Amino acid sequence: MPYYERIVILTGAGISAESGVATFRDKDGIWAKYNIEDVATPEAFARDPAKVHAFYNERRRAHSGVEPNAAHFALARLEREHEGEVLVVTQNIDALHEAAGSRNVIHMHGELLKALCSHCGARHPWRDDLSIETSCPACGLPAGMRPDVVWFGEMPYRLDEIYTALARADLFLSIGTSGTVYPAAGFVAEARAAGAHTVELNLEPSDGAALFHETIHGPAGTVVPAYVERLLR
Ligand code: BV8
C-alpha cells in the first residue's frame, strides 16, 4: 500500500446503515416511504411545513438511539494515527462521525441535530421536535425555524473548502453512497483529475463505480476497518 499524504473521504447513508440508520435508496429506505418532493425541498417546506417538520422530528427522535459502528470508529482512528491530513466530507446529517471521534468533518448536506432560523440565520444545536410554533432563541420570531439541512435545489455547504481539498488529495475514498446525488457524486471525477487514487467501498457497485480505480464491496463495518488497517500499516 503506497503512502498517501492527503486523504479525502466522502461518506453516505451506507456508512450508518449498520448503526440502524435508514438509507435512502435501499428497498426499505427513506425514499420508499416518502417522496423527496413532499419532505426534502424548500417548496415542500413552504407548502406544508408541518409535514416536513414531522419527517425530520421522526429522524431526530430515532437518532438518540443510534451509535457509531466500526466503520465510523475506523475513520476516527485513521484521523488520529495518520501523519498526513484526513478530511471526512459527509452527505449524512447524523452525528455519528463526531460521536466516533472524528473531528475534521464537513457536513455538506447539513446536520439533523441543528436548527436554522429562516428569519435571522442563527443556528442552534437542536435535539427536540421543531414546529412552526417554535420561536428562534436568537431573534424570538416564530414560524421560521427549520432543520439545518440542505434540501434538493439548495446549495450544499462549504463546497469551496471541499473542492480545494479534492484538488490537493492523493487518496479519495467513497464509502456507502449510491453516487446519485450531485454535486457529491461528481467528487470522484474532481479527485481523479487531480491525480488522486480513488477507491469505492460500498455494499454493492454504485452508479459511479466505473469512475473509481479500485472498488471494494462489502458492509462498511467490515471493509472500512480492514482498509484503514492496511493504510496505517
Ligand atoms: C444543488 C439532506 C445547486 C437532507 C440530501 C447536476 C449538478 C448539480 C445538481 C444536480 C444535478 N442533477 C440534479 C441535480 C439536483 C440534485 C440532485 O442531485 N438530484 C438527484 C436526485 C438527481 N442536487 C441538489 O439539489 C443539490 N443541490 O444541486 O445545488 C448546485 C449545483 C452545482 C454545484 C453546486 C450546487 C443538493 C442535494 C442535497 C439534498 N439533500 N440530504 C436529508 O437527509 O433529509 S440528499 C440525500 O441523498 C443524502 O444526503 C445523500 O446525499 C443523498 C444520496 O444518498 P446516499 O447517501 O448515497 O444514500 P443512498 O441510500 O442513496 O445509497 C446508500 C448506499 O450505501 C447504497 O449504494 C447502498 O448499496 C450502500 N449501503 C447500504 N448498506 C451498506 C452500504 N454500504 C456499505 N455498508 C452497508 N452496510
Side-chain angles (χ1 to χ4, degrees):
M1 172 78 77
Y3 176 76
Y4 298 106
E5 176 64 29
R6 290 177 300 282
I7 305 173
V8 176
I9 304 162
L10 175 68
T11 65
I15 199 170
S16 298
E18 289 156 88
S19 296
V21 180
T23 64
F24 290 92
R25 289 171 185 80
D26 287 334
K27 60 191 174 330
D28 54 348
I30 292 174
W31 299 145
K33 299 191 188 84
Y34 294 90
N35 291 324
I36 288 177
E37 303 71 34
D38 295 339
V39 292
T41 66
E43 295 76 16
F45 189 60
R47 182 173 62 243
D48 188 349
K51 184 181 191 120
V52 174
H53 277 310
F55 174 61
Y56 287 96
N57 289 343
E58 181 194 332
R59 290 168 71 187
R60 201 176 295 108
R61 275 188 228 127
H63 191 286
S64 58
V66 298
E67 295 294 327
N69 64 59
H72 297 105
F73 286 113
L75 296 187
R77 177 189 172 210
L78 180 64
E79 180 185 316
R80 257 194 325 275
E81 298 182 13
H82 179 63
E83 280 96 52
E85 295 166 33
V86 175
L87 170 66
V88 171
V89 178
T90 187
Q91 301 173 87
N92 301 337
I93 60 175
D94 65 49
L96 295 177
H97 283 300
E98 293 85 348
S102 285
R103 290 193 309 280
N104 200 11
V105 179
I106 293 181
H107 280 274
M108 66 178 290
H109 290 159
E111 296 176 72
L112 184 59
L113 302 184
K114 279 197 181 143
L116 168 66
C117 175
S118 316
H119 301 305
C120 72
R123 282 186 167 81
H124 309 280
W126 209 276
R127 289 184 176 272
D128 306 323
D129 284 1
L130 274 175
S131 79
I132 40 181
E133 280 79 45
T134 310
S135 299
C136 169
C139 70
L141 292 174
M145 296 300 282
R146 59 168 278 183
D148 185 17
V149 301
V150 176
W151 285 322
F152 287 91
E154 295 188 318
M155 186 67 80
Y157 291 155
R158 301 172 64 183
L159 282 178
D160 48 350
E161 293 170 68
I162 295 168
Y163 285 119
T164 301
L166 291 169
R168 300 175 59 244
D170 49 11
L171 179 63
F172 176 77
L173 307 182
S174 176
I175 302 173
T177 179
S178 59
T180 49
V181 172
Y182 287 83
F187 290 169
V188 55
E190 300 287 330
R192 228 188 136 113
H197 180 60
T198 57
V199 186
E200 173 177 85
L201 296 99
N202 205 56
L203 191 63
E204 64 222 356
S206 73
D207 290 4
L211 296 169
F212 290 85
H213 294 109
E214 206 181 337
T215 53
I216 299 172
H217 296 133
T222 307
V223 299
V224 175
Y227 193 80
V228 166
E229 184 60 41
R230 285 171 54 203
L231 278 174
L232 292 173
R233 205 174 300 140

